[in-house]
Amino acid sequence: MKEFDLAIVGAGPAGMSAALEAAGLGLSVLVLDEQPAPGGQIFRGVERAAGDPALAGEYAVAGALLARRFRAMPNIDYRPETTVWHIDAEAGLLSLRGPRGGGMARAARILLATGAQERPVPVPGWTLPGVMSAGAAQIMLKQAGAVPEGRLVLAGQGPLMWLLAAQLARAGKPPALLLETTPRGALRRALARGGLWRGRAMLAKGAALLWEARRSGMKVVSGVRGLRAEGEGRVRRVAWEGGATECGVLLLHEGVIPSTHVSRALGLEHEWDEAQLCWRPVLDGWGASSAPRIAIAGDGGGIGGWQAAVEAGALAALDAAHRAGRLDAAARDRRAAPHRAALGAALALRPFLDALHAPSPAVLAPPEDATLVCRCEEVTAGQVRQAARLGATGPNQVKAYLRAGMGPCQGRMCGATVAALVAETRGIPVREAGVLRPRAPYKPITVGELADLPEEEPA
Amino acid sequence: MFATRPEFRPATVEVLVDGQPLSVPEGASAAAALLLAGLAASRETPVSGAPRLPYCMMGVCFDCLAEIDGVANRQACMVTVRPGMRIAPQCGARLAGTAA
C-alpha cells in the first residue's frame, strides 16, 4: 500500500491549493477527486471550458491558472474519478474506488476539501422533472456547454443566481424571470453587519453581475414567498403568493452549506453556525479538526467562497508540513501570515452576504405537510412532524421511524430539513435536534469492488 | 430539456441513451446525456414510481441513478461519457426473482 505525508480529498480550490503548498514543501501528496478533471464545483471542467465566452471572468482566469499550476506540480499523485468511500481516521487509511477498481492508501495526515453542496429547497413540486438546482444548470454549462430549453425561471436567492443569470445570458439563454426570495428588510439587516469597504471588490463584482443579468431582459420579482412548482409528470407552472407563470425549466437555489457528510461520518466535532444556518466542523486556525489526523479546508469547514478556500488550503498544508517535521513552528507561522491576511480579506463580505441571503424559516422547514422532504424515500414534511410528535427527538430517530435519510443519498438532501422540522415541532432550537450520523460506505460500492480490496497486510 | 452549443463545444462522443444513439459534448457526464436526450424521465422511484430527472448534477441527490453499461444504480452525474457508453433509465424497484 502506498503511503503519503498528506492525502487530500477533493481537487477544488482548497484541495488544489493545499496540494501545491504541500508538494512545494517536499511532502508526498495524494489527491483524490470524484471528478474527471481538477476544479471542484466552482471551477468544474475549467481546462476544457475556459474558452467559452459564457464563462468569462474568474472561472476562465483564476480557475484555469490554479488548475494549470496543479497539473504542472511534481510530487502530487493526482487520482481523478476516484471516490473515497471510507476513512479510518485512527490508522490514516483511505478506502478508494477508482476507474480501475478498488484500492487503499495510507496517509500521515488527511485533509478533507470536500466543499459545499446547495442547500435543499423543499418546495411543493421540487421533485418534478424540469425542476433542478441552479448549480445543476451551471454544471451543464461548464461541463457540456449546454443551456436549458423553454421558458426558464430562476427562484431563490444568493450570488450564484445572479452569476448564473449573467452566464446564461452570455450563452444566449437569459432567464425569463427571477423570483427572488430575499425577504424585505434583509438588506437593512445585512448593511448593519459591515465589511462593505473591505469587501468592496467582491461587492463591485456582484453589482456588475446584477446589472448584467438585468440588462439581459430578465424580469425580477422581489420578496417572493410560498413558491411551488406545478405540473403533471413535469413542471409546467411556477406559482407564488400573488402570482403564477408558465415555465419549462425551474432552477432553485437558496445558497450553499458545507458538505459535512464525511466529517460527520467520521464523528468529528461539529457546531451549529447561527449566521450561516448550518452545521460546520469545529476547526482551529489551521483547519485541524477534533480528530488527530484529520484537517478540513474550504467550504466544507464553513462557507467562505473559493478565495477563502485557497488560503485555508494553504494554511492546512503548512500545518501538515509542520506536523511532518518539515517546518518548525516559526517558519510555519511566517509563511502563514500572508495567507491569513488574504483569508481575512476574502471573508470580509461574508457576514453581509450571510445576513442578506439568510433562508426564510419556510425554506428550512417547509410549512405544507404534503411537501416531500426526503426525495429518495418520498417522506413528507407532515410525516416528519408526526414522527416528532410521536417522540422522535432528531433526524437519526426519524430515519428509524420513516426511512428519511436511509435512501441512496444517505440524508444529504433531507437531513437538514428533517432536523429543522423536528425542532419546529418540538419547540427546540435546531442545534438541539442534532444532525444525521451517516456511515460508510460514503458512496455506494458494488460487492465486487469490496471483494477486490487488497488483503489486510500484516503489521 | 437542454440544448448544446456546438460552436463552443465541437468535440462530441457517441453514446446510447435508452437504446437511442446520441451525440454529446466530450467531457459531459452520463447525467448530462440523459438531460440532452430529452427523456421525460430518467428514473421512476422505487417507492411510488414517480418520474425523476437529474436534480443536482454534483453527486449529492442521487436522482440521476441510472444503469450504465449494464450496472444499475450508478450516479450518472459522476460518470464521464465514453464512446459507446450505454445509459439506460431505471424504472421502479427491482423485485426479487426478476432479471436485473
Side-chain angles (χ1 to χ4, degrees):
Chain A
M1 189 185 316
K2 282 192 87 170
E3 303 220 5
F4 297 86
D5 294 320
L6 177 65
I8 299 170
V9 185
M16 287 192 283
S17 166
L20 283 165
E21 190 76 33
L25 290 165
L27 267 60
S28 59
V29 180
L30 172 67
V31 177
L32 306 157
D33 191 62
E34 279 193 299
Q35 290 186 42
Q41 302 304 343
I42 184 117
F43 299 138
R44 179 188 270 266
V46 69
E47 293 166 312
R48 207 184 284 273
D52 187 335
L55 296 166
E58 256 171 19
Y59 174 86
V61 180
L65 177 64
L66 192 55
R68 203 156 52 236
R69 288 179 55 216
F70 175 72
R71 289 276 198 192
M73 175 61 91
N75 298 328
I76 298 176
D77 184 342
Y78 165 53
R79 300 192 201 167
E81 297 187 304
T82 300
T83 300
V84 176
W85 57 265
H86 179 250
I87 293 173
D88 180 335
E90 278 177 27
L93 274 177
L94 301 110
S95 305
L96 316 174
R97 189 197 64 196
R100 283 170 302 281
M104 298 191 82
R106 193 190 297 272
R109 194 152 182 81
I110 297 170
L111 176 65
L112 301 177
T114 52
Q117 68 166 75
E118 288 179 276
R119 184 188 293 280
V121 189
V123 298
W126 72 311
T127 54
L128 286 171
V131 183
M132 300 178 77
S133 72
Q138 199 192 35
I139 287 168
M140 284 298 284
L141 185 62
K142 288 172 179 172
Q143 73 161 213
V147 294
E149 292 180 303
R151 185 172 153 82
L152 175 61
V153 178
L154 272 49
Q157 58 171 338
L160 176 67
M161 281 303 211
W162 294 99
L163 173 61
L164 177 65
Q167 289 172 333
L168 289 173
R170 289 178 215 153
K173 180 68 192 184
L177 180 67
L178 168 62
L179 300 170
E180 202 177 26
T181 55
T182 305
R184 298 183 206 287
L187 182 60
R188 190 169 30 80
R189 286 192 294 277
L191 288 171
R193 299 289 185 92
L196 298 185
W197 176 249
R198 216 175 155 211
R200 61 192 180 278
M202 205 175 279
L203 203 61
K205 215 167 55 192
L209 284 173
L210 222 117
W211 183 75
E212 187 183 354
R214 281 185 179 263
R215 199 186 43 171
S216 75
M218 180 178 74
K219 299 278 178 289
V220 180
V221 179
S222 304
V224 165
R225 299 194 303 181
L227 202 65
R228 56 193 309 124
E230 297 173 345
E232 276 298 313
R234 66 156 294 117
V235 65
R236 305 273 178 205
R237 260 160 55 98
V238 53
W240 63 97
E241 275 178 27
T245 185
E246 279 178 31
C247 102
V249 174
L250 173 64
L251 302 176
L252 301 173
H253 184 73
E254 286 282 350
V256 297
I257 56 176
S259 168
T260 53
H261 194 79
V262 176
S263 57
R264 279 182 286 123
L266 286 172
L268 305 185
E269 200 181 320
H270 287 67
E271 63 191 352
W272 177 255
D273 184 329
E274 195 56 48
Q276 299 193 338
L277 297 171
C278 60
W279 290 91
R280 63 197 288 171
V282 176
L283 306 174
D284 74 4
W286 302 98
S289 76
S290 59
R293 256 182 222 275
I294 311 281
I296 296 178
D299 276 356
I303 302 305
W306 73 267
Q307 285 152 311
V310 164
E311 307 307 335
L315 290 170
L318 289 171
D319 193 40
H322 170 61
R323 287 165 190 259
R326 307 292 176 92
L327 273 184
D328 61 34
R332 176 193 67 174
D333 296 352
R334 203 168 49 245
R335 283 171 184 262
H339 295 295
R340 289 210 189 283
L343 180 62
L347 293 174
L349 201 58
R350 196 50 50 180
F352 169 82
L353 290 172
D354 291 343
L356 182 61
H357 296 305
S360 76
V363 169
L364 302 176
E368 280 186 45
D369 276 345
T371 306
L372 278 184
V373 300
C374 170
R375 297 174 64 100
C376 297
E377 296 293 332
E378 298 180 67
V379 177
T380 65
Q383 287 174 280
V384 175
R385 288 193 175 98
Q386 177 67 8
R389 280 192 292 270
L390 287 172
T393 56
N396 292 296
Q397 289 76 31
V398 171
K399 180 176 166 183
Y401 280 46
L402 297 170
R403 293 187 59 85
M406 211 178 275
C409 96
Q410 297 178 305
R412 287 170 171 90
M413 290 299 284
C414 71
T417 311
V418 168
L421 286 166
V422 171
E424 172 216 82
T425 306
R426 297 179 69 87
I428 55 173
V430 177
R431 66 159 64 82
E432 280 176 33
V435 66
L436 265 182
R437 174 76 187 272
R439 285 171 178 80
Y442 313 139
K443 284 281 178 88
I445 51 170
T446 66
V447 174
E449 284 160 348
L450 199 57
D452 272 348
L453 285 177
E455 301 259 339
E456 186 93 6
E457 287 170 19
Chain B
M1 208 177 113
F2 277 80
T4 55
R5 292 151 62 240
E7 64 274 35
F8 300 108
R9 304 294 167 91
T12 57
V13 172
E14 284 274 326
V15 297
L16 287 167
V17 178
D18 201 11
Q20 300 298 310
L22 181 74
S23 221
V24 297
E26 219 172 66
S29 66
L34 287 165
L35 289 168
L36 290 168
L39 301 179
S42 61
R43 188 169 85 91
E44 286 173 5
T45 60
V47 178
S48 73
R52 296 281 171 89
L53 279 173
Y55 178 82
C56 83
M57 297 296 283
M58 60 181 90
V60 178
C61 77
F62 288 68
D63 257 317
C64 65
L65 289 179
E67 185 182 306
I68 298 175
D69 287 336
V71 181
N73 288 319
R74 302 284 308 276
Q75 264 189 303
C77 73
M78 306 306 294
V79 178
T80 306
V81 291
R82 311 223 193 280
M85 181 177 275
R86 289 171 291 123
I87 307 160
Q90 293 190 179
C91 295
R94 270 190 299 175
L95 301 174
T98 62

